[in-house]
């Protein structure tokens, strides 16, 4: 009996050490009041919702940008109730549709005079494909926070297969790691593009989080088994929100633009995530796939990319859809074109011919 109690005590002590050193997230400090500032968060649940809640509690005007009107309006209502801040609204945004992205940008520009923080949080744990990215820039000083993951260390970008179908759980895990590597590289290149503009960019790792994303794609019979385990060893969504909040709010980290943060401090990334040439190439390829850039801006000495014979010759942005705005709104004269959005800050993209 004594040995049993001793073993239980050792297990409990080990769990406490692991929890407080590896699982529990350090609290975010940063700017206390965000009154007069506008934040866009691409989420309606999990880490993104908890991030939006903290921002709303600090007085920010928060725009929840997500696909589902029902879930988005419900999340906005919850946040208004919990934070006591009525400046939390829902706007429709489907990141799988470039038409929806353009419609969101048009609606945002016509109703909001400023954007101080953009938090790219939306994601999936299995495979997903666009139906047809999105950058939203505004008045400086402002910040872009891209939620990434430590899984980027297992990623490896193959530029010849960026748009190939993903089949099976092994390929899904590989694609997830590759996408997180792309997140880190994108933040690195975006910081380079925006150098000197007053807009800074950060990649944030929320840590291992017990969110809907973790269990959404598991077989039904496995969920009851993993839920208790996840509750013991994974962070709460509130804990996962701390590092994105740190990147959005902490003063004095502007010189670290383009870097990767975890547990509320900067961390070194894998060698693949420090490859400036790959980051630049990813930027160009992303612009082409999204139909947002010219086809002839490649370096003259860069080898042409192999083309997938099944892929269409080019992608174009369809005409904008109508978007939905729910919650307290403002009316301002603004641009009705996505290109006007990117003109608010001049992005460096090489010398002009």
């Amino acid at each position: 009996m004594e040995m049993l109690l001793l073993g239980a005590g050792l297990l409990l002590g080990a769990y406490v050490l692991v929890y407080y050193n590896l699982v529990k997230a350090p609290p975010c400090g940063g700017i206390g009041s965000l009154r007069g500032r506008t934040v866009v968060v691409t989420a309606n649940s999990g880490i993104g919702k908890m991030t939006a809640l903290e921002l709303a509690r600090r007085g920010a005007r928060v725009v929840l940008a997500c696909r589902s009107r029902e879930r988005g309006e419900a999340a906005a209502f919850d946040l208004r109730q919990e934070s006591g801040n009525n400046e939390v609204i829902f706007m429709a945004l489907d990141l799988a549709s470039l038409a929806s992205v353009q419609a969101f940008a048009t609606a945002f520009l016509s109703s909001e005079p400023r954007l101080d923080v953009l938090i790219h949080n939306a994601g999936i744990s299995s495979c997903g494909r666009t139906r047809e990215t999105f950058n939203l820039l505004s008045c400086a000083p402002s910040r872009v926070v891209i939620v990434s993951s430590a899984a980027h260390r297992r990623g490896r970008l193959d530029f010849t297969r960026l748009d190939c179908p993903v089949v099976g759980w092994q390929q899904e895990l590989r694609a997830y790691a590759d996408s997180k590597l792309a997140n880190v590289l994108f933040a690195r290149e975006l910081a380079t593009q925006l150098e000197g503009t007053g807009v800074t960019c950060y990649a944030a790792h929320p840590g291992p989080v017990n969110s809907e994303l973790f269990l959404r794609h598991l077989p039904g019979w496995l969920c009851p088994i993993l839920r208790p385990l996840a509750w013991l060893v994974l962070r709460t969504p509130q804990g996962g929100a701390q590092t994105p909040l740190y990147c959005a709010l902490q003063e004095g980290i502007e010189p670290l633009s383009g870097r990767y943060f975890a547990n509320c401090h900067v961390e070194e990334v894998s060698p693949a995530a420090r490859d400036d040439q790959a980051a630049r190439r990813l930027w160009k390829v992303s612009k082409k796939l999204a139909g947002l850039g010219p086809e002839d801006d490649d370096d003259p000495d860069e080898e042409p990319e192999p083309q997938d014979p099944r892929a269409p010759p080019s992608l174009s942005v369809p005409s904008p859809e109508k978007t939905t705005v729910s919650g307290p709104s403002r009316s301002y004269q603004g641009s009705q074109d996505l290109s006007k959005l990117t003109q608010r800050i001049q992005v460096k993209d090489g010398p002009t011919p």
Side-chain angles (χ1 to χ4, degrees):
M1 186 63 179
E2 292 180 356
M3 294 299 296
L4 183 62
L5 291 174
L6 177 61
L10 290 174
L11 285 175
L12 180 60
Y15 172 74
V16 170
L17 287 174
V18 169
Y19 179 81
Y20 282 99
N21 286 278
L22 300 178
V23 177
K24 184 176 174 60
C28 165
I31 303 170
S33 175
L34 297 174
R35 295 194 182 279
R37 304 192 184 191
T38 301
V39 181
V40 171
V41 183
T42 59
N44 60 26
S45 63
I47 299 169
K49 186 177 180 181
M50 291 299 101
T51 301
L53 175 60
E54 182 60 31
L55 295 168
R57 283 173 172 167
R58 300 187 186 211
R61 178 173 173 83
V62 178
V63 177
L64 287 182
C66 56
R67 179 179 54 197
S68 169
R69 176 188 178 92
E70 180 181 0
R71 296 184 65 184
E73 290 184 339
F77 177 80
D78 290 344
L79 294 179
R80 290 194 294 267
Q81 294 291 105
E82 292 183 51
S83 67
N85 181 355
N86 287 326
E87 293 289 294
V88 180
I89 67 171
F90 157 74
M91 292 183 67
L93 171 62
D94 183 358
L95 290 172
S97 166
L98 290 176
S100 175
V101 172
Q102 188 175 24
F104 172 85
T106 301
F108 185 91
L109 284 171
S110 66
S111 63
E112 303 294 330
R114 61 183 297 135
L115 175 60
D116 298 278
V117 179
L118 168 64
I119 299 181
H120 286 283
N121 180 87
I124 57 174
S125 59
S126 66
C127 59
R129 303 186 71 187
T130 178
R131 288 203 300 267
E132 314 222 354
T133 173
F134 166 59
N135 80 60
L136 189 62
L137 303 173
S138 187
C139 48
S142 52
R143 295 184 180 184
V144 177
V145 180
I146 302 167
V147 178
S148 183
S149 168
H152 82 272
R153 302 183 188 282
R154 302 190 301 273
R156 182 174 59 84
L157 288 185
D158 183 350
F159 286 94
T160 67
R161 299 181 58 83
L162 290 181
D163 200 32
C164 290
V166 176
V167 180
W169 65 271
Q170 290 180 315
Q171 288 190 21
E172 288 181 359
L173 290 176
R174 166 69 184 278
Y176 179 79
D178 293 348
S179 72
K180 294 306 173 184
L181 173 59
N183 287 155
V184 178
L185 289 171
F186 179 83
R188 188 179 184 91
E189 179 61 23
L190 185 59
T192 300
Q193 296 284 332
L194 296 176
E195 185 178 357
T197 66
V199 180
T200 51
C201 317
Y202 311 92
H205 171 43
V209 178
N210 183 14
S211 67
E212 291 183 15
L213 191 64
F214 172 69
L215 298 171
R216 186 178 300 167
H217 302 284
L218 293 176
W221 63 269
L222 195 57
C223 291
I225 299 174
L226 291 182
R227 282 186 188 278
L229 183 62
W231 183 81
L232 287 173
V233 301
L234 299 180
R235 292 178 179 174
T236 64
Q238 182 179 7
Q242 297 309 305
T243 298
L245 284 167
Y246 179 90
C247 292
L249 303 176
Q250 184 63 36
E251 297 176 296
I253 64 171
E254 289 80 6
L256 299 175
S257 181
R259 300 291 297 277
Y260 170 85
F261 285 76
N263 293 317
C264 296
H265 66 266
V266 68
E267 283 193 0
E268 288 301 321
V269 294
S270 65
R274 298 194 299 269
D275 188 338
D276 289 328
Q277 184 176 358
R280 178 63 175 166
R281 187 178 181 188
L282 178 65
W283 177 274
K284 292 182 178 181
V285 171
S286 299
K287 287 174 63 178
K288 288 182 181 179
L289 290 174
L292 296 177
E295 294 286 339
D296 57 352
D297 65 347
D298 291 325
D299 295 332
D301 57 346
E302 184 176 294
E303 296 183 3
E305 299 169 21
Q307 297 295 322
D308 188 339
R310 296 169 298 176
S314 63
L315 292 175
S316 60
V317 180
S319 59
E321 302 170 347
K322 290 184 179 180
T323 193
T324 301
V325 182
S326 173
S329 62
R330 301 171 181 174
S331 179
Y332 295 91
Q333 184 66 30
S335 169
Q336 300 299 313
D337 188 89
L338 178 60
S339 63
K340 297 290 182 64
L341 189 66
T342 59
Q343 290 173 5
R344 288 194 176 180
I345 292 181
Q346 295 297 321
V347 180
K348 296 190 304 181
D349 200 18
T352 303

